Amino acid sequence: MPTQSTAPDSAGNELRDMVRDFVANEIRPVVEELDATERFPAEIYEAMGKLGLLGIAIPEEDGGAGGTVRDYVTVMEELSYGYASIADQCGLVELVGSLLSIFGTPEQKQRYLPGLFAGTTRCAYALTEPGAGSDLGGIKTRAVRTADGWRLTGEKVFIHNAPVADFAMVLAVTDPDKRKRGGMSMFLVDTDLPGVERAYREKKMGQKASPVGGLIFNDVELPADALLGAEGAGFGAVLKVLEKGRLGIGSLANGISRAALDTAREHATTRHQFGKPIAENQAIAFMLADMAIDHQAARLLLEHGADLLDRGAEAGSACSMAKVFASEAAVRNSSRAVQILGGGGYIRGVEAERLYRDARITMIYEGTSEVQRLIISRALLK
């Protein structure tokens, strides 16, 4: 197992040490098996629930850990250092749990949050559609009022946890004339309701133990209390948690970056060519230096964004900067790790190869790199 990076750690604390122990004892021993089988590791999530590692930055009165966004950033990086798929689940619970905490009624919170934070209830965050990814204003899933509640019709694609979720937070159009300006609403949809169909399970390049698939809603009858938050307020509510979500994915990416640095450094110091460790060759040493720079710079950007959110300050541009830099750094660092390991880095079952596959999606989900640059440039030019 690679050694932990010795890069400066400005947020070292008991939480980080606890998560590192959990990763070493519970996650790393099964990573290869999870990547090979694509199994959903329910037992790991239940263990995380017992440790309070689900709902990190959600108030204790709602069942969360009551931590800060900085704590959330810390936990996501450490979990991803073990395996990005596990961190991905933690991030999903944080997003859905945040929406329920902020907008849910007492009855909705009581119904969903205890199991969610215990790791026994599985959620999905159903936004993306065949014709609407980066542009959420283009979604077509429709919810129409009925005498008893709502009727939901539509399709969602590329949805994390769709194959296993017990319920989904679904964004739907409730007023086609207003759409994202007051015409979209959030709904809590139990996946065992008549008309809910799990359409398929995708075969992914990486993060294979984090299942992704489609959800189809065929005239699903929902009770009135399935509405989460105010009618028409769904688009703004989703945007409200996106900044924390982007820091979460950026931190996940940075865990991959650090794992890539450590496995590359271990190989470079033990692999000998021409009578000396390859780390003594300047070409390799400089590559390791660049990996350390990328990891540390990303961490500082992520911590800055987290500090802004914790203070309640404007953080949109800062969170986008952190997400785009950290995700692209993860792709660079995992690619460098493969290069340093040479042919061995291209073999299935070698950590560098898995990290390379796991890293690529971080530039796409929770807002593509192009969307992040659009947000940043708009803030600069406003």
Side-chain angles (χ1 to χ4, degrees), residues 26-359:
E26 304 296 332
I27 298 177
R28 279 214 169 257
V30 297
V31 169
E32 289 185 25
E33 179 253 318
L34 293 177
D35 184 62
T37 65
E38 306 187 19
R39 177 177 67 83
F40 184 85
E43 74 284 357
I44 290 179
Y45 302 130
E46 291 183 28
M48 287 168 59
K50 292 176 181 176
L51 288 175
L53 296 180
L54 296 173
I56 301 298
I58 294 171
E60 290 183 87
E61 55 265 32
D62 287 330
T68 63
V69 179
R70 173 76 82 97
D71 292 331
Y72 174 54
V73 163
T74 294
V75 170
M76 286 292 284
E77 177 177 328
E78 295 301 329
L79 289 174
S80 185
Y81 181 88
Y83 188 24
S85 287
I86 305 299
D88 207 15
Q89 187 75 11
C90 179
L92 175 62
V93 170
E94 189 74 25
L95 282 185
V96 175
S98 294
L99 289 172
L100 275 160
S101 175
I102 297 169
F103 300 104
T105 64
E107 293 76 19
Q108 288 171 332
K109 293 179 182 182
Q110 181 57 41
R111 180 174 181 180
Y112 293 107
L113 288 181
L116 196 60
F117 297 150
T120 55
T121 298
R122 305 166 187 178
C123 64
Y125 190 50
L127 304 182
T128 304
E129 299 187 4
S134 296
D135 178 18
L136 284 181
I139 69 169
K140 296 180 179 179
T141 295
R142 187 78 199 282
V144 179
R145 275 194 179 275
T146 66
D148 299 317
W150 301 86
R151 181 177 296 112
L152 183 69
T153 305
E155 179 182 5
K156 300 291 185 176
V157 298
F158 305 139
I159 304 303
H160 183 187
N161 264 13
V164 299
D166 298 304
F167 77 96
M169 194 296 293
V170 180
L171 186 66
V173 175
T174 46
D175 186 335
D177 294 328
K178 294 181 179 179
R179 300 193 66 81
K180 64 182 180 180
R181 293 178 176 82
M184 294 183 181
S185 305
M186 300 183 293
F187 294 89
L188 299 170
V189 182
D190 293 343
T191 54
D192 61 357
L193 287 173
V196 178
E197 178 184 348
R198 301 181 201 270
Y200 43 79
R201 177 172 177 152
E202 300 286 7
K203 300 291 288 185
K204 299 190 298 174
M205 176 192 294
Q207 297 191 27
K208 290 178 174 290
S210 178
V212 166
L215 291 171
I216 297 176
F217 307 105
N218 298 302
D219 293 328
V220 180
E221 298 293 338
L222 299 175
D225 63 1
L227 179 68
L228 177 62
E231 180 181 350
F235 187 79
V238 167
L239 293 182
K240 186 175 181 67
V241 300
L242 275 182
E243 292 170 354
K244 183 167 48 165
R246 285 168 178 158
L247 290 182
I249 297 304
S251 303
L252 178 153
N254 215 32
I256 295 173
S257 267
R258 195 174 95 232
L261 168 59
D262 283 355
T263 195
R265 182 179 59 181
E266 180 183 57
H267 179 83
T269 55
T270 57
R271 169 72 166 165
H272 286 67
Q273 293 285 277
F274 306 106
K276 61 181 180 181
I278 63 172
E280 294 185 17
N281 294 314
Q282 193 176 74
I284 302 298
F286 280 13
M287 204 181 304
L288 292 169
D290 286 340
M291 293 172 78
I293 291 167
D294 267 351
H295 168 256
Q296 184 63 10
R299 175 178 283 179
L300 294 173
L301 283 168
L302 290 160
E303 291 177 348
H304 173 62
D307 288 342
L308 290 175
L309 286 183
D310 282 330
R311 297 202 309 266
E314 168 59 40
S317 181
C319 292
S320 288
M321 288 182 184
K323 198 271 182 181
V324 71
F325 185 88
S327 60
E328 293 181 359
V331 173
R332 287 193 297 270
N333 275 3
S334 58
S335 178
R336 288 161 172 158
V338 171
Q339 191 70 19
I340 289 171
L341 268 72
Y346 199 65
I347 302 302
R348 185 62 62 90
V350 173
E351 183 173 23
E353 184 269 345
R354 174 181 57 78
L355 293 171
Y356 188 56
R357 288 185 286 108
D358 287 348

